């Protein structure tokens, strides 16, 4: 199924105004690990500088394909620019990255990573607008593609979701603290309340005065990524208005209605295929059985000594 | 459920007469990782010395409780004694360990680990019988408890299972090579044929002339450990004459027959509880649904910053 | 003596046109380890991209004070800009770094490290001049301070030394390959021939046509750093026109002439103080003896259990 | 000079009755690092069990040749035997090790390491004498070779030096605490007072009643190892009744008297050769100069990419 796999499945998490911000960010990323085990990073702020581990936390887990699994590409990115320091975590992919990168380089910019995220930060830094949200609006109106973004500065947290809403992003509260996460399961783990999903095209600004919502981006057709339901998201998450587990079961039921077959048993490919197989079995009346084992303890067999036994390493 | 958990759940694997013995032992232990992630070790032999990685392989994965998770207790144990070198891997627990240890120390023996296995090797070394199997028979007739044992010397491999048959141990063949493993799933991964289970009280000796079976131990009542079926073993393994997955489903069905309840859904505790819940649902006619997530990516939450959020780390 | 210690003592090494460029760069840095053990990095190029480990090599060892010993500050820095990719290694400190950084940020630049080196790369990228040497000349005429710089691009290597010549930098040849290093001891280790020191204010460009020398920088008074002779450089190096060991001995002799004292023995503080003590002993006629031990095996005592024995950890 | 190098140069350190025993043992081993960087270990006791890090400390640094640089050979060795627990650290080599090992195996003993030390512990455990010192006397009268030994049990520390006195061992006091170390430099670092060297053939027993001296071993000719003076010991140590630095200088002077040559300069091979060269220069009147550099930062060049540059890695 690898040929169908999109290039990036990341998870982001942010929390504002909580004395245990860093620890809760760790727990939030823990709940989002299924979205990426390649790297992770945490930045936090105490309202003064970005290094003190208090009050605000911002985290990122990452999965990417070949070529960029290097330390310089670990997120969050932190930079200094004319307005101070800013850290950003990003889930998604831009489609016009190279065009904008060429423009920025012609203008004199230098690039130290190979991540799209760095382009967004350059655009933000070169905007002359007054407020951070306005500058971010200017920057995001120049890029195209899928993105969920979380920023923290010394004093505020900003969340943004692309106008198509390709990837999920939701908002929660834990006491007085605001929480933003890729999936609702991260809110559940820290026992935060789910408030709502962040809208496609919405920018949310959280500071000491509370939360404000902005819609500076051009409207676009909704386009939630089907792979979130099929593969990426955790079954207990609520994304794109629906529970992932229920969607998976319904997909199985629909498959049974569209493709009737005669068979003795329905056997799922674990783990994301289990609910779909259960739905198929329920709808078709064919018996459901487990028949494949997933070895959870290591990712893959890393010694494959010679051709004749190489195919065995799939336990 | 920890209060019920037996102290040791280990896995052992041995192969005799195969040019890729070490690599196949690695794969065998990989299939047995569910029996212990605390430590593992491999010893191999080329028919001359125990260090050359050829021809024979012997491996061990280990899980143990507090106090003994130290490097000196990693198995297999390797020792020199009057008859040469011997390595041993052990799954089980002795009940008269301290009594025998006291006797051995009174006689002048020194102990460098805290494992029962070292006691068995002392008994073996102090026997004056002629053959290794006879010496092993003498040693094992002095100990009581649960054990599956695998030994390799420069030239042979020996497997032994206690007279009660508390723990599983099976025999297979891969071409001309003999394989012994805690569970049949390790044979499946390396595509070895399952021959049979090793009998309670049986000692099997494998050398260049093939395999011979011995029964030098006093008979005892069969007492297979129920936790192997309930919790330890992998569902695709065949142990104590039965398939683990089928036993788990049947346990669920039996529970439904013995304890009828009114309920909307049956929800399993993953992973070992899934087949039992499926059996319960089938027998009772109550709907089966998944409702709990197991986070596979890390064993446990290792930061628990303060009391108020400590209970959260269970994702 | 820490209060007098300058903030940075780094070593840089580059080689152009040698099939073993990466390995020789490793050896060159090995010879320069006395200039920094905090971090090191190597970049190499095969004439096409900066990652292939062939033909050109560029390395850096680093020592810095508190606050910046983090992974993002490891050199060489590698960036993409409008003219392609460039890597740079830097030994020195700028005195007008903050002023230029503020200007660059006002213009829209973002900074991802806290190193002066990043400022130089920004200046280079924003220059509109035609050739790399011209752009570098423009950039360097805007900065003030101590610097030795080495750049490699896909096709060339550039070395630059500040107009005051604060830090040493020398040029050598190994067969057809050009070598640039902080100290001549790095040339000796790889058996390269010493050609000459790079002049204060000189920019040397090495490409497939050979070496060319440029002097685009404003002239300044020579100001070699005395700490190179006293402390930083290796005694077998030839820097600022002199052999370090001979200078150290002569400093000791001069001290003996200026400050006559009556004493029984002259005892050096190892290691850099040994030649000076030898010179003092020779000139004064007072006996030279060793009396202090430097423990070479670890940098410092890292456990200092409580106040009463903390002062002991100086072996 | 490797062909002349003896197989083992270890350092041992013990302290009895000090609340910072573990930390002082760390510092003592730090001072003895020149005697071995291959492995080190510390055991301590609070008078009850050997694991609590209080009151008594015992440490070992080790250098050995090929074949035995494995984790199972790290000292101190800790064993349980009929009289409780005992830990031992050993500097030296036995010459009749194999003969005794064969005897012990014939009797039923098993061996888990390849160190001579394990043989001594077996002999100790099999003795039927009443006191630990008597059992140790019996054990040591059966072995031949070079050894300095330190033992700790729950309640006492024992030091022993072989009858020939091949290796150095000295006794000190730090307040009420007794200290034993391979070289006096370890006493100096922790500011303990030097009392005296432990005599060849002497066994010293330290417990809560103080120190007692025993001489149960057969007398032998004194045979201090010349390599201690030439190479192993630290120049500031006092061993075999003399200061190492003074002995090295006197060896240089004697060489000058025995072998007069005409030469311009005397250049030492650092570090142990420096005092001898100074003595030679003083006696002969030939000028002393440094001319060789020892790179202290790493032990050796570990990449040697191909034959043509392999000889370069000697910086």
């Amino acid at each position: 199924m690898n040929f169908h796999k999109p290039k990036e499945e990341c998870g982001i998490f942010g929390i504002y105004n909580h004395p245990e911000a860093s620890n809760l960010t760790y727990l939030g990323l823990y709940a989002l690990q299924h979205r990426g085990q390649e790297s992770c990073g945490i930045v936090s702020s105490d309202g003064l500088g970005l290094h003190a581990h208090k009050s605000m936390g911002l985290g990122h887990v990452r999965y990417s394909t070949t070529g960029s699994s290097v330390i310089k590409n670990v997120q969050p990115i932190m930079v200094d620019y004319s307005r101070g320091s800013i850290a950003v975590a990003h889930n998604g992919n831009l489609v016009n990255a190279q065009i904008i990168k060429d423009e920025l380089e012609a203008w004199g910019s230098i690039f130290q990573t190979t991540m799209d995220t760095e382009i967004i930060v350059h655009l933000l830094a070169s905007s002359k607008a007054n407020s951070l949200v306005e500058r971010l609006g200017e920057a995001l109106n120049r890029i195209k593609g899928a993105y969920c973004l979380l920023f923290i500065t010394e004093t505020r947290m900003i969340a943004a979701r692309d106008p198509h809403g390709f990837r999920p992003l939701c908002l929660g509260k834990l006491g007085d603290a605001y929480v933003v996460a890729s999936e609702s399961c991260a809110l559940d783990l820290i026992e935060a309340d789910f408030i709502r999903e962040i809208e496609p095209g919405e920018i949310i600004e959280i500071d000491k005065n509370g939360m404000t919502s902005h819609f500076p981006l051009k409207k676009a057709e909704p386009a939630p990524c089907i792979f979130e339901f099929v593969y990426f998201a955790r079954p207990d998450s609520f994304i794109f208005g629906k529970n992932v587990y229920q969607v998976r079961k319904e997909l199985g039921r629909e498959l049974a209605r569209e493709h009737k077959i005669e068979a003795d048993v329905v056997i799922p490919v674990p783990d994301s295929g289990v609910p779909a197989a259960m739905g198929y079995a329920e709808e078709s009346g064919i018996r459901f059985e487990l028949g494949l084992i997933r070895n959870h303890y290591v990712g893959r067999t890393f010694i494959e000594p010679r051709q004749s036994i190489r195919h065995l390493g799939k336990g």
Side-chain angles (χ1 to χ4, degrees), chain A residues 1-313:
Chain A
M1 200 169 71
N2 274 327
F3 57 93
H4 259 180
K5 208 183 224 170
K7 278 191 189 156
E8 302 264 349
E9 49 178 290
C10 301
I12 59 181
F13 180 95
I15 185 164
Y16 183 92
N17 190 28
H18 195 287
E20 289 284 325
S22 292
N23 291 324
L24 291 166
T25 302
Y26 166 82
L27 291 171
L29 293 185
Y30 179 86
L32 296 173
Q33 274 180 101
H34 58 290
R35 299 183 72 83
Q37 301 87 50
E38 187 179 292
S39 69
C40 75
I42 293 183
V43 173
S44 56
S45 168
D46 62 351
L48 296 173
L50 287 180
H51 294 284
H53 287 249
K54 283 191 202 161
S55 185
M56 276 189 280
L58 171 59
H60 187 273
V61 292
R62 178 161 201 257
Y63 175 88
S64 78
T65 50
T66 180
S68 54
S69 180
V70 291
I71 190 76
K72 70 175 182 179
N73 282 351
V74 171
Q75 293 212 1
I77 291 183
M78 289 175 64
V79 307
D80 293 331
Y81 76 125
S82 57
R83 317 284 180 139
S85 295
I86 194 163
V88 56
H90 174 212
N91 172 26
N93 276 87
L94 305 190
V95 294
N96 64 339
Q98 193 56 51
I99 294 167
I100 298 182
K101 190 178 179 187
D102 290 347
E103 289 173 18
L104 284 163
E105 286 187 350
W107 185 68
S109 294
I110 63 174
F111 287 84
Q112 300 190 40
T113 75
T114 60
M115 296 184 290
D116 293 354
T117 320
E118 192 178 3
I119 293 170
I120 297 171
V121 180
H122 272 287
L123 291 173
L124 190 67
S126 59
S127 166
K128 303 300 178 198
N130 276 327
S131 75
L132 178 52
V133 167
E134 285 172 301
R135 288 195 294 279
L136 184 58
E138 271 191 22
L140 298 184
N141 271 321
R142 292 188 58 188
I143 63 173
K144 291 175 185 162
Y147 54 84
C148 287
L149 291 162
L150 267 173
F151 298 85
I152 60 172
T153 67
E154 284 85 346
T155 57
R156 70 194 61 206
M157 180 162 74
I158 308 271
R161 191 170 170 215
D162 73 66
H164 294 280
F166 288 111
R167 301 267 160 242
L169 194 65
C170 67
L171 180 70
K173 276 201 93 171
L174 177 61
D176 292 333
Y178 281 96
V179 187
V180 177
S182 290
E183 295 182 31
S184 63
C185 65
L187 303 182
D188 296 339
L189 179 63
I190 64 164
E191 296 185 353
D193 295 320
F194 176 84
I195 298 179
R196 63 171 176 87
E197 295 189 74
I198 291 173
E199 299 288 310
E202 186 177 11
I203 294 177
I204 278 185
E205 183 180 19
I206 298 159
D207 62 16
K208 64 183 193 305
N209 300 317
M211 189 199 92
T212 47
S213 169
H214 310 263
F215 285 90
L217 306 183
K218 281 163 273 182
K219 296 281 174 200
E221 285 297 299
C225 174
I226 187 65
F227 275 98
E228 292 287 345
F229 280 132
V230 172
Y231 184 82
F232 290 164
R234 234 170 73 165
D236 55 334
S237 284
F238 182 94
I239 63 168
F240 306 150
K242 290 170 183 163
N243 169 258
V244 173
Y245 173 67
Q246 295 299 348
V247 170
R248 284 183 188 165
K249 280 196 76 174
E250 184 53 36
L251 287 169
R253 280 193 210 97
E254 182 61 26
L255 186 65
R257 288 187 289 264
E258 294 182 15
H259 294 281
K260 286 193 172 63
I261 53 165
E262 292 210 20
D264 297 319
V265 289
V266 178
I267 290 177
V269 177
D271 286 339
S272 59
V274 174
M278 287 169 61
Y280 193 100
E282 281 178 26
E283 183 70 23
S284 65
I286 302 171
R287 189 158 50 95
F288 173 78
E289 294 282 0
L290 299 180
L292 296 168
I293 297 287
R294 180 177 166 199
N295 190 320
H296 296 300
Y297 300 104
V298 290
R300 53 194 298 274
T301 304
F302 52 90
I303 64 155
E304 292 158 343
R306 56 170 201 186
Q307 195 56 39
S308 62
I309 64 171
R310 187 164 302 172
H311 66 290
L312 301 174

